Amino acid sequence: MDIFVTVIIIVLVLFIAGTAAGIFLRRHIHKAVDELDARKINLLNRDIPEEIAKVKKLRMSGETEQKFEMWRKDWDEIVESILPSIENQLIEIEEWAAKYRFKKAKDAIGWVGNRITTVEQQLDTMVEEIDHLVSAEAKNRQEISEVRGKYQELSNELLTKRGSFGEAVRALDEAMADIKQTLASYDEATENGSYLQARKQLLMMKDRLHDLRETMNEIPQLLIQVKSTVPADVRNLEMGIAQMEESGFHLKTFAFDVRLTQFKKDIDKAYEQLLNLHVKEASELLQTINDEKEQMYETLEAEVTTKNKLMEKIPTLKEQVQAATERLQTLLRETTHVQKSYLIAEEETHLQNALQKDLANLRNQLHVIVDVTENQKQTYSSIYEMAEKWSKEMDTFKANIDNSIERLRRLRKDELKAQETVSRLRSVMYETKRTLKKSNLPGVPVKQLEALDFAETKVKQAADALNEIPLEMERVEQLVHEAIEQVEKGSDAIEEMVEKARLAELAIQFSNRYRNRGEEVRQALDQAEDAFRSFHYEEALERVQHAVEPYEPNLLEKVERHISA
């Protein structure tokens, strides 16, 4: 019994759910059908007949008549066939929905939607093409008068100014004849109702008339350039080059003859371009000739300027060689004099030999510069570059001489400095020994004595090296450096030892008051005194501090305060 009730409940639930789903889907389909129907009605409400009627105001022949019939036929088919078919399909969709044939209804909705979209696009294209045709006719009607006027204006100018166009008048006549033919084709297309074709021809005429206007404006001036101005400039340039070569300028390197020949070819080419109305190309070619011509003039002017600068520079170069020769002789004399007292490094000797070779090379290079200048064997600009390079090398040469002279003179300065240092080190050693003597110590540890003796030996070695002839400054400087290190090391060690000995002595004296504090204290103090008498002053100080530390933890501070008082 329970199972039977459960089954009934399940069936009822499924029935209710199915019914609810069916209601929902039918509602969704009805909504889609309403939207499609609204789009269909919108198509019918579009004022397409009025748009098509605009074409009837034009000349109904040829292309216009064909398009009018095509658009009218398309609209009739949409109204009489396509839209009724869509209406029937929408009715069927609603019937399928009522019979729960939802899939078929949904597929049909998609098909109808696509069909309506196609019709909408077809009508949009139709309206756009109608507007294009109608506007083309209107624009043609507005602009053709201007085109005819410009054509007539150019025809009159070509007739009255034929002489200014030279042989290019033949090409201009042909261009005007072409425009006249296009104008006739425009009239024919308009008469036949081919307004779009006529529009293309009109726009083409406007462009050609504009270009022809600019061409006719430029040709007379360009003809003057190509037949008179530019050839005359090239001849003047050619004559100027020849005169400079006769006066001694070496210009073959620049290959001006090749460029002049090319100029003449380019002038002929520019003329041919003008005869064919290629004004832009001819103008650019003439501009290139003028630019290169200016560059050539700049090169010639630079040669003249460079020659003048070179003629002024060469005497100064000769003076520099003479001055450098005297300077080198001064260096060699000073070297000979210094060698009597000092040992000069081998590198310095090699450097001076190299300087003599460098001077010989500079003389030879200057001879070449003077020769090619006097005999016009090169362009002056290239010779001037040689002279500039030579000057830089001479500056380097003079700097090397000055550095060598300075190094020689520095030897004497270094010697005096070394002597002063040795003298100061002797004073330091004297003061160290004096401090040691005044300290009244029982003795000095062997290690400190040996360090002091070693420092004295180093000072003596440096002093002896300073007395040698010839004087080897590198060795002297090394010995002086070693002496400084040893003297400072020995002096500091003696000073530290004396200070610790004094502290140890006073600490022992101060601590004797604690001898009766116990055997251990007495023995420790005796050991401190033994270390002091054995010259182990640091050990003595440490032992006495350790012995009385329980009674005097700050013993060393008290002793130092006593010394400072």
Side-chain angles (χ1 to χ4, degrees):
M1 186 66 179
D2 292 338
I3 296 174
F4 179 73
V5 173
T6 302
V7 170
I8 292 174
I9 293 172
I10 292 172
V11 170
L12 287 173
V13 169
L14 291 175
F15 175 76
I16 293 171
T19 302
I23 294 172
F24 173 78
L25 290 174
R26 279 202 302 271
R27 184 178 299 171
H28 179 73
I29 289 172
H30 287 319
K31 181 179 180 182
V33 169
D34 290 342
E35 291 175 354
L36 292 173
D37 190 56
R39 289 175 64 188
K40 181 203 69 173
I41 294 172
N42 185 58
L43 289 174
L44 281 171
N45 291 335
R46 293 186 66 167
D47 202 359
I48 300 301
E50 184 177 343
E51 291 293 330
I52 296 175
K54 294 179 182 178
V55 181
K56 295 181 69 175
K57 298 178 182 179
L58 308 178
R59 187 180 297 276
M60 294 298 293
S61 61
E63 181 185 30
T64 301
E65 186 176 10
Q66 293 174 2
K67 287 184 175 294
F68 174 79
E69 291 297 332
M70 179 187 68
W71 292 327
R72 186 175 60 79
K73 182 179 178 181
D74 290 345
W75 175 246
D76 289 344
E77 182 183 5
I78 291 171
V79 173
E80 297 174 2
S81 177
I82 297 175
L83 293 182
S85 174
I86 291 174
E87 176 65 26
N88 293 333
Q89 189 70 45
L90 292 175
I91 294 172
E92 289 183 352
I93 292 171
E94 289 184 333
E95 291 177 354
W96 290 331
K99 297 176 181 179
Y100 294 93
R101 298 176 68 180
F102 299 121
K103 185 178 186 308
K104 192 169 184 179
K106 184 177 180 182
D107 293 340
I109 288 173
W111 182 87
V112 171
N114 292 335
R115 193 74 179 92
I116 292 176
T117 298
T118 301
V119 174
E120 289 172 341
Q121 294 173 348
Q122 183 180 0
L123 292 180
D124 290 341
T125 301
M126 183 187 298
V127 171
E128 183 179 344
E129 290 178 351
I130 291 171
D131 289 342
H132 186 51
L133 177 63
V134 173
S135 64
E137 186 276 337
K139 290 179 181 178
N140 289 350
R141 192 166 8 94
Q142 294 171 1
E143 297 173 10
I144 188 60
S145 297
E146 181 184 356
V147 170
R148 294 184 192 278
K150 288 184 178 179
Y151 170 78
Q152 190 60 47
E153 179 185 340
L154 291 182
S155 296
N156 294 337
E157 183 174 339
L158 184 59
L159 183 63
T160 57
K161 299 180 180 179
R162 294 183 70 81
S164 64
F165 299 116
E167 295 182 15
V169 73
R170 185 181 299 106
L172 290 172
D173 286 337
E174 293 176 357
M176 291 299 294
D178 288 342
I179 295 175
K180 184 177 181 180
Q181 180 60 43
T182 304
L183 191 57
S185 298
Y186 166 84
D187 291 336
E188 183 180 354
T190 302
E191 184 68 22
N192 293 333
S194 299
Y195 297 108
L196 297 178
Q197 181 182 350
R199 184 63 186 166
K200 293 179 181 178
Q201 293 170 336
L202 187 143
L203 293 175
M204 181 175 64
M205 285 189 291
K206 289 180 69 174
D207 291 340
R208 293 176 66 184
L209 285 169
H210 177 268
D211 294 342
L212 199 58
R213 169 77 278 170
E214 292 186 348
T215 298
M216 290 174 66
N217 288 340
E218 295 181 26
I219 281 181
Q221 185 60 36
L222 291 175
L223 281 173
I224 293 173
Q225 290 187 46
V226 81
K227 299 297 289 184
S228 177
T229 308
V230 176
D233 289 344
V234 172
R235 285 193 297 273
N236 291 335
L237 176 59
E238 192 172 14
M239 292 172 58
I241 292 172
Q243 290 174 358
M244 287 183 65
E245 288 180 334
E246 290 175 1
S247 63
F249 285 87
H250 184 86
L251 303 177
K252 294 188 180 300
T253 304
F254 297 113
F256 286 148
D257 54 340
V258 175
R259 298 170 75 180
L260 290 169
T261 301
Q262 187 61 45
F263 284 167
K264 295 171 183 177
K265 292 180 180 179
D266 289 343
I267 291 172
D268 293 339
K269 183 178 179 181
Y271 183 64
E272 289 296 324
Q273 290 172 335
L274 285 177
L275 295 185
N276 294 315
L277 305 186
H278 298 157
V279 173
K280 181 180 179 182
E281 292 81 354
S283 178
E284 290 176 352
L285 189 53
L286 291 174
Q287 185 60 47
T288 300
I289 294 173
N290 287 329
D291 292 342
E292 292 189 11
K293 178 168 56 67
E294 289 301 317
Q295 291 177 4
M296 292 171 67
Y297 272 119
E298 290 175 2
T299 301
L300 295 174
E301 291 173 3
E303 278 293 292
V304 174
T305 303
T306 303
K307 178 185 178 182
N308 295 334
K309 291 167 63 178
L310 194 58
M311 293 306 174
E312 295 176 358
K313 190 178 186 68
I314 286 179
T316 64
L317 301 183
K318 295 178 179 179
E319 293 173 0
Q320 288 184 48
V321 169
Q322 183 61 34
T325 302
E326 294 175 359
R327 191 65 170 164
L328 181 59
Q329 292 302 320
T330 300
L331 171 61
L332 296 176
R333 285 195 300 270
E334 289 203 17
T335 301
T336 302
H337 176 73
V338 169
Q339 281 177 329
K340 295 177 181 178
S341 303
Y342 298 91
L343 182 63
I344 296 178
E346 186 176 354
E347 291 81 0
E348 186 67 33
T349 303
H350 291 328
L351 177 59
Q352 292 185 12
N353 292 334
L355 287 173
Q356 296 181 65
K357 293 179 181 178
D358 290 344
L359 183 58
N361 290 333
L362 287 168
R363 285 199 190 97
N364 292 334
Q365 291 173 17
L366 181 57
H367 177 74
V368 172
I369 292 172
V370 172
D371 178 64
V372 295
T373 302
E374 293 177 350
N375 296 299
Q376 297 100 32
K377 294 180 179 180
Q378 291 181 216
T379 61
Y380 288 111
S381 56
S382 64
I383 300 173
Y384 192 80
E385 289 178 2
M386 293 170 57
E388 287 290 288
K389 181 181 178 182
W390 186 93
S391 295
K392 291 180 181 178
E393 292 177 358
M394 174 57 78
D395 290 340
T396 302
F397 175 80
K398 291 189 291 186
N400 289 335
I401 289 181
D402 292 341
N403 291 336
S404 292
I405 292 175
E406 177 61 26
R407 283 193 294 273
L408 291 177
R409 292 175 178 173
R410 197 184 303 138
L411 287 175
R412 181 59 182 162
K413 295 178 183 177
D414 293 343
E415 178 191 4
L416 294 174
K417 182 179 178 181
Q419 289 178 348
E420 291 175 358
T421 302
V422 169
S423 177
R424 179 177 61 81
L425 294 176
R426 283 174 170 168
S427 297
V428 172
M429 291 298 299
Y430 173 77
E431 288 297 327
T432 300
K433 290 181 179 180
R434 185 167 170 271
T435 299
L436 191 59
K437 186 176 182 181
K438 288 173 61 180
S439 66
N440 295 320
L441 295 177
V444 180
V446 174
K447 183 178 179 181
Q448 274 75 10
L449 289 175
E450 289 177 348
L452 209 58
D453 291 341
F454 188 63
E456 281 188 312
T457 301
K458 285 297 180 181
V459 173
K460 186 176 184 306
Q461 288 176 351
D464 292 343
L466 279 167
N467 293 325
E468 293 178 357
I469 298 177
L471 190 62
E472 187 178 355
M473 280 308 302
E474 288 187 6
R475 180 169 173 269
V476 168
E477 290 175 346
Q478 179 61 32
L479 290 172
V480 169
H481 177 72
E482 293 175 359
I484 291 172
E485 287 185 349
Q486 296 304 321
V487 167
E488 289 178 350
K489 183 178 178 181
S491 175
D492 292 343
I494 292 297
E495 184 177 347
E496 182 181 2
M497 181 199 69
V498 170
E499 178 64 19
K500 287 186 176 180
R502 184 168 56 167
L503 286 173
E505 183 178 14
L506 291 174
I508 290 171
Q509 292 174 1
F510 185 83
S511 301
N512 280 332
R513 69 185 66 179
Y514 300 107
R515 278 184 175 276
N516 296 328
R517 296 294 177 95
E519 182 64 21
E520 185 177 350
V521 175
R522 186 184 60 76
Q523 289 180 0
L525 290 175
D526 289 342
Q527 291 173 355
E529 290 179 353
D530 291 341
F532 186 85
R533 285 192 291 269
S534 300
F535 320 143
H536 298 148
Y537 305 116
E538 185 174 0
E539 180 185 346
L541 184 59
E542 291 176 355
R543 286 184 178 278
V544 71
Q545 282 183 281
H546 181 70
V548 299
E549 186 175 5
Y551 316 105
E552 288 289 348
N554 300 319
L555 172 65
L556 190 59
E557 293 179 6
K558 289 186 176 181
V559 172
E560 289 176 344
R561 285 199 298 270
H562 176 75
I563 294 174
S564 302

